[in-house]
Amino acid sequence: MGPARLFPLLAALAALASAQRRSSISDRANLQYLFDRPVEPLYFAKGENEDVTFKLPPSYVPRRYQNKATELSNRFAGGTTIEVPAINVPDISLPMQLGRREHFSMFIPYHRRMARRLVEIFMGMRTYEDFMSAGIFCRERINPFLFSYAMSVAVLHRNDTRGVQLPLFAGRFPEKFFDGAIFSRAREETNLVNPGERIPLEIPLDWTGTDLDPEHRVAYFREDVGINLNHWAWHLVYPFDGPRNIVAKDRRGEIFYYFHQQIIARYNFERFSNRLGRVQRLLNWREPIEGGYFSKLDSLVASRVWPPRHAGARPSDINREDMQLNFDLADLERWRDRIYEAIHSGRLQRENGEFVRLDEVSGIDLLGNIMEASPPLSVNLNLYGDFHNLAHVALGLMHDPDHRHLETFSVVAEPTTAMRDPLFYRLHSFVDDVFHEHKRTLAPYTVQQVASAQVQTQGLGRANELNTFWQVSDIDLSRGLDFAPRGPVFVRVTHLQHAPFSYRVQVRNSGAARTGTVRIFLAPRFDERGTPLTFREQRLLFIEMDKFQFNFQPGANTIERLSTASAVSVPYERTFRDTSVMPAQAGSPAQEQFNYCGCGWPQHMLVPRGSQEGLAADLFVMVSNYADDRVNPPPQPNSCSQGHSYCGIFNQPYPDRRPMGYPFDRNPRTNAQTLAQFLTPNMLVTPVTIRFFDEIRAPGNSTGIPVRRGRVTTK
Amino acid sequence: MGPARLFPLLAALAALASAQRRSSISDRANLQYLFDRPVEPLYFAKGENEDVTFKLPPSYVPRRYQNKATELSNRFAGGTTIEVPAINVPDISLPMQLGRREHFSMFIPYHRRMARRLVEIFMGMRTYEDFMSAGIFCRERINPFLFSYAMSVAVLHRNDTRGVQLPLFAGRFPEKFFDGAIFSRAREETNLVNPGERIPLEIPLDWTGTDLDPEHRVAYFREDVGINLNHWAWHLVYPFDGPRNIVAKDRRGEIFYYFHQQIIARYNFERFSNRLGRVQRLLNWREPIEGGYFSKLDSLVASRVWPPRHAGARPSDINREDMQLNFDLADLERWRDRIYEAIHSGRLQRENGEFVRLDEVSGIDLLGNIMEASPPLSVNLNLYGDFHNLAHVALGLMHDPDHRHLETFSVVAEPTTAMRDPLFYRLHSFVDDVFHEHKRTLAPYTVQQVASAQVQTQGLGRANELNTFWQVSDIDLSRGLDFAPRGPVFVRVTHLQHAPFSYRVQVRNSGAARTGTVRIFLAPRFDERGTPLTFREQRLLFIEMDKFQFNFQPGANTIERLSTASAVSVPYERTFRDTSVMPAQAGSPAQEQFNYCGCGWPQHMLVPRGSQEGLAADLFVMVSNYADDRVNPPPQPNSCSQGHSYCGIFNQPYPDRRPMGYPFDRNPRTNAQTLAQFLTPNMLVTPVTIRFFDEIRAPGNSTGIPVRRGRVTTK
């Protein structure tokens, strides 16, 4: 007797069950269901117990399914019903041009126009109830990726959804994060095993390749769930296109530069940890690209898998009518050359012919916005074009530049998945170098610009040694499994982790009591050959570890700072737990601690891997005078302020007046050839060792017995 | 209230329902369930109404699922229960080495060894009940592709399953036949719409590419469901490896040559119909291969999608530890050169050093078996190697020859999917040419070898005009959708079709009453430039249309022959209907007509497409003396004998003593430069035109109003 034949029976039984409960769409707790199981219609029973039903106005349900919608609403009459009021939804014909099962990418101008329209609609709804109703109307019609993007941007930016935490993105769209091999296993598991008894579906560490491909050695970084989630969240917080009030955030061009600069620095640090040289900039668009990348991502919502990038692929001019997109490699080259010309002449040209100086205050911000490029913020879109976005698209279409094969783009052309492909780093290493070309034109910081202090550092465990290892963590992906039986089903991933540690900094304050900013950076000490890095090279490799204010008393001060408090990172739970908090449920202490926004470097990737024999690194600590760093008025820390170094504080000025990356963002004084020569009295460098233990430890076990020795390889 | 929470309730209700029925595994009708939903365990409810349950011995159920198996057996106590007796199953550790979710290909020697072992086990079971029980035991453990292959070979070859018709392969493994884009739509459809109301999921004609890729113009041929099903069935009937009594079929090496020769001839005919030149032989293994192929096939059972073949890919030496497979391109080249050497010296060398002559009777058969290569039948596997199979594997691993990317092979390396890739035809065009190199060494047929007759031909509709068009047909793929709600869900494909026609042949028999063999072939008249084909070229392009016996009376005879009776084809229903007939259900007239075996060219692809302006072709009819054609004893036609020209008659001698392809398999007499000069009094050529109507017609509508004009392209 199949479920289909049970429906009348169930309806009768349900009538005997507990009385029907009602809930309102005003209740913020119900917002989560719009992010649940992207393809399942909203009139399909929701919630862990399938006891929540949305009652949609008939006009909201596509005609073919209207009977089904009525049948389902009646079926679960014993549960909670949420009445959805009908409103007049603005015209959504533009965003409906993207097929329900197609891929979506903000890098593609056509998709971007659709997203902008949808964001405008969602932002424009006057009441929360209208917003919900419009969202529900659109959810049944719009491409799920596009819907999720626009809805997420709106939830993040609307005043009436302040503090609402979105359900974990990786759990909702597992096809963008996890080995496609697990989806059929997940379907088997949910159908054969009851929720409490299911075992996690294990993805081995080396699931996309082997070390026969040298680039695979750093796959654990490129494919890390947290790093990719962070990249997704960053682009939600800093959309480069959309309504101007959402896009025009404080120093967003500069933070585009700094966030990606730090990604490259961190990537190179991982490469040194794995005996690989620094990533090579992508300079020549006219020659084949060595090596390939097979993402192993499959499709669930989308009808097409991400095509792999094969070895020896060659960029081409793009002629894709399906994306309303034509451009030539020569366009990219022209835009690149004009940006260089602007840097070397020290000024940008506006559309009206006026010039804007690339000065040391706002130059980098202007450059960031023309490079990315942001249509509302670029000073001249015609002249400087759309380099970064279309470079991603060109690299993602090498296999099918004219659509003869009806293929979609590869992972590098979508922000959520781009960081998986080694090519991302070759492109961004080039982009980064362009920014540095500008930075190199600025006057070096003079000694006078920094205050006086002394510091000392000590690690936990062995003094000045940081320890890294592998860890397994589980993520529930049931929200992404349309039509599968309810209840969690976990995927188990292996990722890098480090033992928690703390900085202990001793500072002698020779003046009066005052506040200082403590800046902590880390860089490798030797290059890929084992030769000490010169300062000109090393400064580009410094990764920010933390930044905080401290009230210094006269005389000796001791600072103790935990690694988990880092200003660049968000906690472990942010990556691996579904931390969605809807205000109606919020308030318990357990939930409060998860109540922060999504942007920030994942805590488990704070420390580069290092090596088994111990990788030599320089820990740099600097104290600067807070009076010179402070922005006015100072931003208020809020529940979203963790991870502010790479992400800023949501909708507030960036909390540090210094150029991002300070003091390493410029060429040093001419007499500073080495890091030691660069140091002023308010700086100190301590040699540290990063030691990697090649074993898998369970969460919470950072020092003890491994779960398993050695790396797990796929069969 | 979810299904999980309903189970106890259901059990109680079921107890009130109709009394439990029992069925036995001896009932051949129950065999079909082993081919149903490849990943669902057998203890999961089966049948359209989910009312059939297998009761497995505890030792048959993997430990983790034993509770579930008991729960499910009890749940549907109101249906039919089939008790499975426990037997001691032979050791299956070798075939269990293939992971449950991996791809399987007979071209790979390691996989082949596993398959051979499993076939031996299934063939070796003494009773039908033991065979079923062993099959059930293995089904829960073995890779579903491998299981299906071995089980199908066994069902085809065991005496106690004679006449059992396997469920339609394309419906059971849709991932090998249909656009991967429909699987998520199929899941949506089965979950949202009740069985009777579901609409077919349409796959447009041009779903894998566009005509920007010239090779795409003949994609409708390469990707045709029937053609690929036929290729799969041919390889089931003619396994090249396995127990000797299954492999050593009458003239199997020769039929390998002839089946593939006809595929190439038919492909070239389609290419001419689409203004493409003949397919180029793959001669050089050392240079990149132009053009790419993106199959758009996705995974359901397998955990990995088929990787695409990108433009400019290059064959490499193969070093794949995961397949226990190492060989070099130089190996392929050596084997190829030795086969050529054998042909040019007219003899093969056995392992003991003796020579075997390549004569006109068995030479081609010996060559077919060393070329393919068949381990039990090759005269010297060490010397002549494994050219054809490993050539397929090498071409299927160009993207990952050393497994650095952990990728599986592409479609060209698996018999079920190989014909989709243009490269298949380049490889087989080369293989075919090697066979012809041998045929060219044989003496031309002399005029004396043929009897005397005259023929005339007339088409239906306009005289001597064949009409082709597009047609849509539906295929139920619900057997392939593990864990989806029950009931059929159809995929709608667009394929080539022709108006039924008949041959009308008038023969004057100047002698006494006697039986003759009528042979009908068709070839294009002009080459790719529009120049008349010479006979040396045209003879390679003749496709067989029909072959039958006729009892000629003295004087005038008129033969009427329907196109649907063709000896090369199997009926339309064989491709598009699930024609599985289990003997316990068989017997009704409606089912009898579907009761034939699977091998044979699909009827809907019997006539090449032709062109809108009309493609000129030569219809060739020949009558030969049956006394010279007959094999002794003559094979008995059985329910599997349709399509015998390309497939033989199952387990009987090939029903024509002449060399396959006669009279076009050899060079002509020196004085026959044109087809006209080649003709002897028992042959006639009639010019025909193949006119293509570029419109889609519904099944059964071969002349009338189209469903839709023009080709449907994907968005």
Side-chain angles (χ1 to χ4, degrees):
Chain A
M1 184 148 49
R5 301 172 67 209
L6 285 171
F7 290 162
L9 182 65
L10 283 172
L13 286 168
L16 304 174
S18 64
Q20 185 173 323
R21 290 181 301 275
R22 290 186 169 280
S23 179
S24 156
I25 61 163
S26 305
D27 184 343
R28 301 300 191 272
N30 292 328
L31 182 57
Q32 63 169 307
Y33 298 118
L34 274 66
F35 292 96
D36 212 19
R37 306 204 169 210
V39 175
E40 274 186 23
L42 206 56
Y43 53 78
F44 216 76
K46 297 290 166 204
E48 278 299 270
N49 300 319
E50 298 186 322
D51 55 359
V52 177
T53 318
F54 283 78
K55 242 188 158 135
L56 272 58
S59 62
Y60 278 37
V61 182
R63 182 158 322 150
R64 199 163 161 245
Y65 299 114
Q66 292 199 348
N67 286 346
K68 184 74 177 180
T70 313
E71 173 191 317
L72 286 173
S73 308
N74 294 336
R75 168 151 69 122
F76 300 107
T80 302
T81 305
I82 303 163
E83 290 274 352
V84 179
I87 63 166
N88 282 324
V89 178
D91 176 28
I92 57 168
S93 53
L94 175 61
M96 275 185 70
Q97 285 174 22
L98 188 65
R100 285 275 282 176
R101 300 280 185 181
E102 288 178 53
H103 279 285
F104 162 77
S105 170
M106 278 297 279
F107 290 149
I108 296 164
Y110 181 38
H111 293 191
R112 203 187 294 166
R113 289 195 293 277
M114 301 187 206
R116 184 165 50 201
R117 174 79 188 123
L118 206 55
V119 169
E120 279 165 3
I121 290 173
F122 291 154
M123 291 302 292
M125 290 289 137
R126 269 179 301 178
T127 66
Y128 178 76
E129 289 69 28
D130 283 0
F131 167 60
M132 270 294 275
S133 184
I136 289 166
F137 179 84
C138 291
R139 188 184 184 282
E140 307 296 298
R141 285 160 179 78
I142 300 274
N143 173 285
F145 302 119
L146 167 57
F147 171 80
S148 168
Y149 173 82
M151 197 74 188
S152 302
V153 170
V155 168
L156 220 63
H157 290 89
R158 281 183 69 94
N159 289 326
D160 51 14
T161 47
R162 194 61 38 94
V164 167
Q165 191 64 42
L166 301 170
L168 194 66
F169 187 67
R172 290 188 278 131
F173 289 107
E175 69 188 76
K176 298 201 170 188
F177 294 87
F178 304 112
D179 185 358
I182 60 162
F183 302 146
S184 49
R185 283 168 59 205
R187 206 164 288 283
E188 192 177 351
E189 190 74 14
T190 52
N191 273 284
L192 291 183
V193 185
N194 289 330
E197 299 156 17
R198 293 174 191 158
I199 55 173
L201 308 168
E202 200 162 337
I203 300 179
L205 184 59
D206 292 318
W207 60 277
T208 56
T210 70
D211 285 354
L212 282 181
D213 173 16
E215 293 298 321
H216 179 73
R217 296 188 214 160
V218 285
Y220 67 88
F221 178 93
R222 295 192 320 262
E223 294 159 2
D224 184 79
V225 180
I227 285 180
N228 284 285
L229 276 175
N230 175 40
H231 193 243
W232 165 80
W234 192 94
H235 281 278
L236 275 191
V237 176
Y238 290 106
F240 63 90
D241 200 358
R244 195 182 170 86
N245 62 332
I246 284 182
V247 176
K249 298 204 170 81
D250 184 47
R251 295 168 73 181
R252 62 101 47 226
E254 183 177 7
I255 207 167
F256 171 79
Y257 141 72
Y258 184 56
F259 176 54
H260 291 91
Q261 189 273 329
Q262 283 286 292
I263 287 173
I264 297 300
R266 288 182 167 272
Y267 188 58
N268 280 328
F269 212 147
E270 297 294 343
R271 295 178 70 87
F272 283 8
S273 300
N274 287 275
R275 297 185 171 281
L276 290 169
R278 272 162 281 195
V279 61
Q280 296 297 307
R281 290 169 295 150
L282 182 69
L283 291 172
N284 186 341
W285 287 85
R286 305 291 175 167
E287 63 184 14
I289 290 167
E290 249 187 89
Y293 179 66
F294 292 73
S295 75
K296 307 279 187 293
L297 300 180
D298 203 344
S299 56
L300 276 175
V301 169
S303 59
R304 285 279 169 265
V305 302
W306 303 103
R309 179 170 62 78
H310 54 272
R314 215 185 179 103
S316 305
D317 304 331
I318 300 298
N319 182 9
R320 295 276 303 214
E321 275 312 306
D322 62 314
M323 299 177 182
Q324 303 189 357
L325 189 60
N326 298 72
F327 65 93
D328 301 335
L329 296 179
D331 288 320
L332 295 179
E333 289 162 342
R334 269 188 290 272
W335 296 333
R336 171 196 70 191
D337 293 343
R338 287 173 189 165
I339 293 172
Y340 269 122
E341 194 188 329
I343 289 169
H344 294 139
S345 56
R347 61 187 196 179
L348 293 168
Q349 190 177 340
R350 287 194 195 278
E351 287 187 24
N352 63 7
E354 285 172 11
F355 292 101
V356 203
R357 255 198 5 105
L358 288 174
D359 63 20
E360 64 174 21
V361 177
S362 57
I364 186 69
D365 194 46
L366 293 165
L367 277 177
N369 286 328
I370 64 164
M371 170 66 87
E372 191 179 6
S374 168
L377 303 183
S378 167
V379 301
N380 193 338
L381 210 57
N382 279 333
L383 193 61
Y384 301 112
D386 196 1
F387 180 83
H388 159 266
N389 296 320
L390 294 191
H392 271 279
V393 175
L395 295 177
L397 289 174
M398 289 188 292
H399 58 287
D400 195 15
D402 61 5
H403 209 211
R404 66 178 56 195
H405 294 300
L406 298 174
E407 283 290 307
T408 185
F409 41 85
S410 71
V411 295
V412 79
E414 212 273 75
T416 321
T417 51
M419 288 184 69
R420 314 182 83 83
D421 188 333
L423 204 44
F424 174 93
Y425 303 87
R426 296 200 57 198
L427 171 61
H428 272 280
S429 197
F430 166 75
V431 166
D432 194 43
D433 191 53
V434 175
F435 289 131
H436 285 300
E437 190 75 9
H438 159 69
K439 289 279 189 175
R440 282 187 278 262
T441 69
L442 305 181
Y445 296 115
T446 57
V447 177
Q448 287 69 34
Q449 278 177 284
V450 292
S452 166
Q454 298 252 331
V455 290
Q456 242 186 353
T457 310
Q458 197 177 25
L460 271 188
R462 268 198 264 182
N464 292 328
E465 178 171 302
L466 300 170
N467 291 342
T468 63
F469 47 86
W470 303 118
Q471 183 177 292
V472 286
S473 294
D474 297 345
I475 298 177
D476 178 16
L477 46 77
S478 60
R479 278 183 191 268
L481 292 178
D482 290 293
F483 302 114
R486 264 47 183 174
V489 56
F490 289 93
V491 57
R492 174 163 292 171
V493 296
T494 306
H495 57 86
L496 190 65
Q497 182 59 290
H498 55 271
F501 61 97
S502 66
Y503 311 95
R504 185 186 177 87
V505 186
Q506 295 185 323
V507 180
R508 174 158 299 275
N509 176 13
S510 51
R514 54 182 159 171
T515 304
T517 303
V518 182
R519 300 165 192 270
I520 306 182
F521 287 84
L522 189 71
R525 196 180 311 136
F526 301 106
D527 72 8
E528 45 270 83
R529 296 165 302 179
T531 310
L533 286 156
T534 67
F535 183 70
R536 294 175 72 91
E537 294 177 294
Q538 195 183 26
R539 75 172 181 89
L540 299 175
L541 294 167
F542 267 106
I543 62 172
E544 184 172 338
M545 298 295 282
D546 206 351
K547 175 164 66 177
F548 53 91
Q549 272 79 52
F550 191 83
N551 297 319
F552 291 93
Q553 301 305 314
N557 292 267
T558 298
I559 305 170
E560 291 271 4
R561 175 82 172 176
L562 290 171
S563 57
T564 48
S566 167
V568 303
S569 72
V570 291
Y572 171 84
E573 288 74 15
R574 176 64 224 164
T575 302
F576 296 103
R577 300 280 172 270
D578 195 335
T579 58
S580 56
V581 177
M582 303 292 160
Q585 304 167 300
S588 77
Q591 281 168 332
E592 277 302 320
Q593 65 170 305
F594 294 146
N595 194 13
Y596 36 72
C597 297
C599 194
W601 197 253
Q603 169 66 213
H604 68 274
M605 295 302 286
L606 182 65
V607 180
R609 200 197 71 165
S611 60
Q612 285 179 279
E613 65 275 21
L615 188 82
D618 285 324
L619 185 77
F620 170 93
V621 184
M622 171 186 187
V623 178
S624 58
N625 190 344
Y626 180 59
D628 300 330
D629 305 333
R630 187 172 51 194
V631 289
N632 262 321
Q636 298 303 307
N638 62 25
S639 61
C640 281
S641 61
Q642 205 164 355
H644 62 73
S645 279
Y646 293 169
C647 290
I649 298 180
F650 190 67
N651 269 354
Q652 297 200 60
Y654 189 81
D656 183 0
R657 196 149 61 83
R658 303 279 186 179
M660 299 181 202
Y662 173 82
F664 295 117
D665 66 313
R666 299 193 190 172
N667 268 344
R669 311 176 302 279
T670 44
N671 57 348
Q673 298 296 319
T674 65
L675 179 57
Q677 290 167 345
F678 176 73
L679 299 184
T680 53
N682 62 330
M683 303 177 185
L684 194 87
V685 170
T686 300
V688 297
T689 301
I690 312 175
R691 192 175 303 279
F692 166 61
F693 294 83
D694 192 5
E695 57 193 31
I696 296 175
R697 297 178 186 168
N701 172 10
S702 57
T703 53
I705 301 114
V707 175
R708 199 181 295 157
R709 266 187 200 281
R711 298 175 81 169
V712 186
T713 50
T714 207
K715 282 172 311 171
Chain B
M1 184 150 47
R5 300 172 68 210
L6 285 172
F7 290 162
L9 182 65
L10 283 172
L13 286 168
L16 303 173
S18 64
Q20 184 174 324
R21 288 181 301 278
R22 290 186 170 278
S23 178
S24 156
I25 60 163
S26 305
D27 185 343
R28 302 298 191 272
N30 292 328
L31 181 57
Q32 63 170 306
Y33 299 118
L34 274 66
F35 292 96
D36 211 21
R37 306 203 170 212
V39 174
E40 275 187 22
L42 205 57
Y43 53 79
F44 217 76
K46 297 292 164 202
E48 278 300 90
N49 300 318
E50 297 185 324
D51 55 0
V52 177
T53 319
F54 283 78
K55 241 187 161 137
L56 271 57
S59 63
Y60 277 37
V61 182
R63 182 160 320 152
R64 198 162 161 243
Y65 299 115
Q66 292 198 348
N67 286 344
K68 185 72 177 182
T70 312
E71 175 191 316
L72 286 172
S73 308
N74 295 334
R75 169 151 68 122
F76 299 109
T80 302
T81 305
I82 302 163
E83 290 275 353
V84 179
I87 61 164
N88 282 325
V89 178
D91 177 26
I92 56 168
S93 53
L94 174 61
M96 276 185 70
Q97 286 174 22
L98 188 65
R100 285 275 283 176
R101 300 280 187 182
E102 287 178 53
H103 279 285
F104 163 76
S105 170
M106 276 298 279
F107 290 149
I108 296 164
Y110 181 37
H111 292 191
R112 202 187 296 167
R113 288 195 294 277
M114 301 188 207
R116 186 166 45 201
R117 174 79 188 122
L118 207 55
V119 169
E120 279 166 2
I121 291 173
F122 290 155
M123 291 302 293
M125 289 289 138
R126 269 179 301 178
T127 66
Y128 177 77
E129 290 68 26
D130 283 2
F131 167 60
M132 270 294 276
S133 184
I136 290 165
F137 179 85
C138 291
R139 188 184 183 281
E140 307 296 297
R141 284 158 181 79
I142 299 275
N143 174 287
F145 301 120
L146 167 57
F147 172 80
S148 168
Y149 172 81
M151 197 72 187
S152 302
V153 170
V155 168
L156 220 62
H157 289 89
R158 280 183 69 95
N159 289 326
D160 51 13
T161 48
R162 193 62 39 93
V164 167
Q165 191 64 39
L166 301 170
L168 195 65
F169 187 67
R172 290 188 278 134
F173 290 107
E175 69 187 77
K176 298 203 171 188
F177 294 88
F178 304 113
D179 186 358
I182 60 161
F183 302 146
S184 49
R185 284 168 58 207
R187 207 164 287 284
E188 192 175 351
E189 190 73 14
T190 51
N191 274 283
L192 290 183
V193 185
N194 289 330
E197 299 155 16
R198 292 174 191 159
I199 55 173
L201 309 167
E202 201 162 336
I203 300 179
L205 184 60
D206 292 318
W207 59 278
T208 55
T210 71
D211 284 353
L212 282 181
D213 174 15
E215 293 297 320
H216 178 73
R217 296 188 215 160
V218 284
Y220 67 87
F221 178 93
R222 294 192 321 263
E223 293 159 2
D224 183 79
V225 180
I227 286 180
N228 284 283
L229 275 175
N230 175 41
H231 193 243
W232 165 80
W234 193 93
H235 280 279
L236 274 191
V237 175
Y238 290 106
F240 62 90
D241 200 358
R244 196 182 170 86
N245 62 333
I246 284 182
V247 176
K249 297 205 171 81
D250 184 48
R251 296 167 74 180
R252 61 102 48 226
E254 183 178 6
I255 208 166
F256 172 79
Y257 142 72
Y258 184 56
F259 177 53
H260 291 91
Q261 189 273 330
Q262 283 287 294
I263 288 173
I264 296 302
R266 287 182 167 273
Y267 189 58
N268 280 328
F269 211 148
E270 297 295 341
R271 295 178 72 87
F272 283 9
S273 300
N274 287 274
R275 297 185 171 281
L276 290 170
R278 272 161 281 193
V279 61
Q280 297 296 308
R281 290 168 295 150
L282 181 69
L283 291 171
N284 187 340
W285 288 85
R286 305 292 176 168
E287 63 184 16
I289 290 167
E290 250 187 90
Y293 180 66
F294 291 73
S295 75
K296 305 281 189 293
L297 300 181
D298 203 344
S299 56
L300 277 175
V301 169
S303 58
R304 285 279 170 262
V305 302
W306 302 102
R309 179 169 62 79
H310 54 273
R314 215 186 179 102
S316 304
D317 304 329
I318 299 298
N319 181 8
R320 294 277 302 216
E321 274 312 306
D322 62 315
M323 298 177 182
Q324 304 189 357
L325 189 60
N326 299 71
F327 65 93
D328 302 334
L329 296 180
D331 289 318
L332 296 178
E333 289 162 343
R334 268 189 290 271
W335 296 333
R336 173 196 68 191
D337 293 343
R338 287 175 189 165
I339 294 172
Y340 269 121
E341 195 189 327
I343 289 170
H344 294 140
S345 56
R347 60 187 196 177
L348 294 168
Q349 191 177 341
R350 289 194 193 278
E351 288 187 23
N352 62 8
E354 285 172 10
F355 291 102
V356 200
R357 254 197 8 104
L358 289 174
D359 62 22
E360 65 174 21
V361 177
S362 58
I364 186 70
D365 193 47
L366 292 165
L367 277 176
N369 286 328
I370 64 165
M371 170 67 85
E372 192 180 8
S374 168
L377 302 183
S378 168
V379 300
N380 194 339
L381 210 56
N382 279 334
L383 193 61
Y384 300 111
D386 196 3
F387 180 84
H388 158 266
N389 296 319
L390 294 190
H392 271 279
V393 174
L395 295 176
L397 289 174
M398 291 188 291
H399 58 288
D400 196 14
D402 60 7
H403 210 210
R404 67 177 56 195
H405 294 300
L406 298 176
E407 283 289 309
T408 186
F409 41 86
S410 72
V411 293
V412 80
E414 212 271 76
T416 321
T417 51
M419 288 185 70
R420 313 181 84 83
D421 188 334
L423 205 42
F424 174 94
Y425 304 88
R426 295 199 56 198
L427 172 60
H428 272 281
S429 196
F430 166 75
V431 166
D432 193 42
D433 191 51
V434 175
F435 288 131
H436 284 300
E437 190 74 9
H438 159 69
K439 288 277 190 177
R440 281 188 278 263
T441 68
L442 304 182
Y445 295 115
T446 57
V447 175
Q448 287 66 36
Q449 278 176 285
V450 291
S452 165
Q454 298 255 332
V455 291
Q456 240 186 354
T457 310
Q458 197 176 30
L460 273 188
R462 267 199 264 180
N464 292 329
E465 179 172 300
L466 299 170
N467 292 341
T468 63
F469 47 86
W470 303 118
Q471 181 177 294
V472 286
S473 294
D474 297 346
I475 298 177
D476 177 17
L477 47 77
S478 59
R479 278 184 192 268
L481 292 177
D482 291 293
F483 302 114
R486 263 47 183 176
V489 56
F490 289 93
V491 59
R492 175 163 291 173
V493 297
T494 306
H495 57 87
L496 190 65
Q497 182 58 291
H498 56 270
F501 61 97
S502 66
Y503 310 96
R504 185 187 178 88
V505 186
Q506 295 184 324
V507 180
R508 175 159 296 277
N509 175 14
S510 50
R514 54 183 160 171
T515 304
T517 303
V518 183
R519 299 163 192 272
I520 306 181
F521 288 83
L522 189 70
R525 196 178 312 134
F526 301 107
D527 71 8
E528 45 270 83
R529 297 165 302 180
T531 309
L533 285 157
T534 66
F535 183 72
R536 294 176 72 91
E537 294 178 295
Q538 195 183 23
R539 75 171 181 90
L540 300 175
L541 293 166
F542 267 106
I543 62 173
E544 184 173 338
M545 298 296 281
D546 205 350
K547 177 163 65 178
F548 54 92
Q549 272 80 50
F550 191 82
N551 298 319
F552 291 94
Q553 299 307 314
N557 291 266
T558 298
I559 304 170
E560 290 272 4
R561 175 83 172 176
L562 290 171
S563 57
T564 49
S566 169
V568 303
S569 72
V570 290
Y572 171 84
E573 289 73 15
R574 177 64 224 162
T575 301
F576 295 104
R577 300 280 173 270
D578 195 333
T579 58
S580 56
V581 176
M582 303 293 160
Q585 302 168 303
S588 79
Q591 282 167 332
E592 277 303 321
Q593 66 172 305
F594 293 149
N595 194 13
Y596 37 72
C597 296
C599 193
W601 196 253
Q603 169 65 215
H604 68 273
M605 296 302 285
L606 182 65
V607 180
R609 200 199 72 167
S611 61
Q612 287 179 278
E613 65 275 21
L615 188 81
D618 285 324
L619 185 76
F620 169 92
V621 184
M622 170 183 187
V623 178
S624 58
N625 191 343
Y626 179 59
D628 300 331
D629 306 334
R630 186 171 51 193
V631 289
N632 260 324
Q636 296 305 307
N638 62 25
S639 60
C640 281
S641 62
Q642 205 164 359
H644 61 75
S645 280
Y646 294 169
C647 290
I649 297 181
F650 189 66
N651 267 354
Q652 299 199 56
Y654 189 81
D656 183 0
R657 199 149 59 85
R658 305 277 186 179
M660 298 182 203
Y662 173 83
F664 296 117
D665 66 313
R666 299 194 190 172
N667 268 345
R669 307 178 304 279
T670 44
N671 57 349
Q673 300 296 321
T674 65
L675 179 56
Q677 291 167 347
F678 176 73
L679 298 185
T680 53
N682 62 329
M683 303 177 186
L684 193 88
V685 170
T686 299
V688 297
T689 301
I690 311 175
R691 194 175 302 278
F692 166 61
F693 293 83
D694 193 5
E695 56 193 31
I696 296 176
R697 298 179 186 166
N701 172 10
S702 58
T703 52
I705 301 114
V707 176
R708 201 181 293 157
R709 266 189 199 279
R711 297 176 80 167
V712 185
T713 51
T714 208
K715 280 173 310 173

